[in-house]
Amino acid sequence: MLIKDSVNLTKAVKSIGIKGRIIEGEDLKKHTTLKIGGEAKYFIVPFDGEDIAKIINFANDNQVPYVILGGGSKILFPDLIFKGIVINLNNHFFKKIILDKEYVKIDAGVKINELLGWMLRNRLGDWEFLAGIPGTLGGAVRLNAGVRDLTEANNYLQIGDFVKEVTVLDKNGKLLRLDKKDLKFDYRESNLSNFVILQVILTKGEKKDISHIKKRINNFLNYRKKTQDLKSPSAGCVFKNPGNNKSSGELIELSGLKGKRIGDVAVSKKHANFFINLGKATAKDFLTLMEYVQRKVNYDHGVWLNPEIHIIRNL
Ligand SMILES: Cc1cc2nc3c(=O)[nH]c(=O)nc-3n(C[C@H](O)[C@H](O)[C@H](O)COP(=O)(O)OP(=O)(O)OC[C@H]3O[C@@H](n4cnc5c(N)ncnc54)[C@H](O)[C@@H]3O)c2cc1C
């Protein structure tokens, strides 16, 4: 039977019977790079995939919304309370990295900087382009994280090109293995929006000299320092680049919006597609500034910018 009142729902959540931890009223600001958000009604740190399957089934049976949270670097939570379950994979239970002959099996909760540290220790190259991208591998694969390479060719490097297989739970909590032919990666997107990514198999990079790997990592990090606003909390780029020859950042800048501020959210003066939290920013201010920028850019350039950031709303 559907549980409608909050007290009984809390009792029911606590009796799902998982091995992980359930926290009531966790402050979501602590878990996002933007430092915006209210509380999660239920914040769950699962121990394993079985825990997550139980939570999914509970959520389905009781029509409770749930959200997967990785490193929180591309997500905006509502201000007051998220009336659902946040399943946090950025925890110490989802951190294994297993080196195989040709592949590397990596848990979804491994953070990108942890992965790069491991890569350096094992002298494996090829994923240096991920340097400086905050968040977890699960989030990176879900969003097909990537950057331009720093060569004349200006090629695009994306994690999706290295994914061989992904272990996921589907909407019914069923464990599935999806291999390359089942997977689709586009610009900042994948066909994994209806799954919880548990583990990823990446093709192993070439054995390389450690100084070569370090140099490449530093090149990517230095480029970020030069071009991105890394001193204030943000979620990286707010809007996807439109498919024309100008980036969202260029269009916002051409509209004269660098520094535009609503409440404590401002368009970065360094990178116009970054919105920064000046201290006490709210989701309401963030969304208002997004809409203001969308309307102004549309008015000036006839282009409607689509969000890259994932916006979580209460139903
Ligand atoms: C300073 C800065 C610079 C950045 N630079 C870049 C860049 O160069 N390139 C780039 O691509 N991105 C960049 N980003 C954005 C962000 O870091 C990436 O998109 C990152 O991959 C998001 O991972 P996350 O774990 O933080 O995801 P979260 O923010 O936690 O989640 C984002 C979305 O993915 C889903 N998700 C997360 N984990 C899982 C999982 N295991 N299974 C299923 N769904 C999941 C969430 O439900 C949510 O919908 C930047 C962000 C910042 C703050």
Side-chain angles (χ1 to χ4, degrees):
M1 199 181 59
L2 206 66
I3 304 168
K4 291 221 174 96
D5 69 288
S6 167
V7 176
N8 282 328
L9 187 64
T10 300
K11 275 191 201 149
V13 168
K14 287 185 174 161
S15 56
I16 299 175
I18 59 166
K19 300 178 276 302
R21 233 159 33 105
I22 301 170
I23 305 164
E24 253 186 285
E26 176 72 350
D27 182 1
L28 290 166
K29 279 187 202 63
K30 292 195 299 199
H31 299 277
T32 65
T33 55
L34 255 176
K35 307 291 170 220
I36 292 180
E39 289 181 353
K41 181 124 179 79
Y42 307 108
F43 186 90
I44 301 190
V45 181
F47 175 75
D48 56 14
E50 206 181 307
D51 269 5
I52 302 176
K54 283 186 184 169
I55 299 162
I56 292 175
N57 288 325
F58 173 87
N60 289 341
D61 291 347
N62 293 285
Q63 293 176 13
V64 178
Y66 65 90
V67 171
I68 307 301
L69 178 65
S73 60
K74 189 52 74 185
I75 203 161
L76 178 71
F77 281 107
D79 285 321
L80 293 177
I81 185 158
F82 171 64
K83 296 179 194 152
I85 300 174
V86 173
I87 304 173
N88 176 31
L89 262 74
N90 180 21
N91 76 55
H92 52 283
F93 300 124
F94 288 85
K95 293 284 186 203
K96 279 189 307 306
I97 305 182
I98 301 165
L99 181 59
D100 206 339
K101 251 192 190 155
E102 288 171 57
Y103 305 107
V104 188
K105 271 189 201 169
I106 309 154
D107 282 353
V110 171
K111 293 192 90 170
I112 295 299
N113 60 353
E114 294 165 344
L115 180 60
L116 291 188
W118 178 91
M119 189 186 92
L120 258 180
R121 288 192 296 281
N122 286 277
R123 291 161 195 251
L124 298 172
D126 289 0
W127 310 326
E128 297 93 336
F129 70 95
L130 294 171
I133 298 183
T136 58
L137 183 65
V141 171
R142 162 69 188 87
L143 298 176
N144 192 20
V147 291
R148 295 258 162 226
D149 69 3
L150 302 173
T151 67
E152 292 266 299
N154 202 25
N155 290 322
Y156 195 71
L157 299 166
Q158 53 184 22
I159 186 104
D161 292 340
F162 296 84
V163 177
K164 179 186 175 280
E165 189 182 295
V166 182
T167 304
V168 295
L169 291 170
D170 72 7
K171 282 194 140 180
N172 299 312
K174 191 169 161 217
L175 192 73
L176 300 173
R177 277 187 221 298
L178 306 176
D179 68 21
K180 218 168 176 68
K181 70 174 181 344
D182 306 312
L183 298 168
K184 193 166 178 306
F185 293 102
D186 290 316
Y187 167 64
R188 299 292 197 265
E189 254 314 331
S190 69
N191 60 347
L192 292 163
S193 59
N194 289 325
F195 297 98
V196 181
I197 302 166
L198 298 178
Q199 195 181 57
V200 179
I201 300 186
L202 295 181
T203 47
K204 198 172 83 177
E206 296 280 311
K207 262 282 188 228
K208 287 197 180 120
D209 187 65
I210 201 151
S211 59
H212 173 85
I213 302 175
K214 272 191 183 159
K215 191 169 166 213
R216 275 191 28 100
I217 288 181
N218 284 334
N219 286 346
F220 282 104
L221 290 177
N222 288 335
Y223 183 73
R224 270 179 201 283
K225 272 189 214 141
K226 223 166 59 192
T227 56
Q228 297 182 346
D229 194 332
L230 303 176
K231 293 210 169 117
S232 310
S234 81
C237 290
V238 176
F239 298 107
K240 290 182 179 171
N241 286 324
N244 60 13
N245 55 2
K246 291 226 170 6
S247 69
S248 294
E250 284 168 319
L251 293 172
I252 298 168
E253 186 170 351
L254 283 171
S255 284
L257 292 173
K258 271 189 165 177
K260 170 75 191 163
R261 175 175 179 173
I262 290 182
D264 256 357
V265 184
V267 175
S268 160
K269 289 182 184 158
K270 192 163 178 186
H271 187 312
N273 202 12
F274 274 42
F275 289 9
I276 54 172
N277 180 350
L278 298 172
K280 294 205 162 101
T282 63
K284 187 165 173 267
D285 294 338
F286 198 94
L287 293 169
T288 310
L289 185 59
M290 275 180 79
E291 196 183 330
Y292 182 91
V293 168
Q294 281 170 311
R295 285 180 187 279
K296 179 83 168 82
V297 167
N298 192 34
Y299 181 82
D300 293 345
H301 311 287
V303 177
W304 187 259
L305 300 177
N306 290 312
E308 183 172 318
I309 187 164
H310 284 210
I311 300 164
I312 308 298
R313 299 177 199 269
N314 281 308
L315 297 176

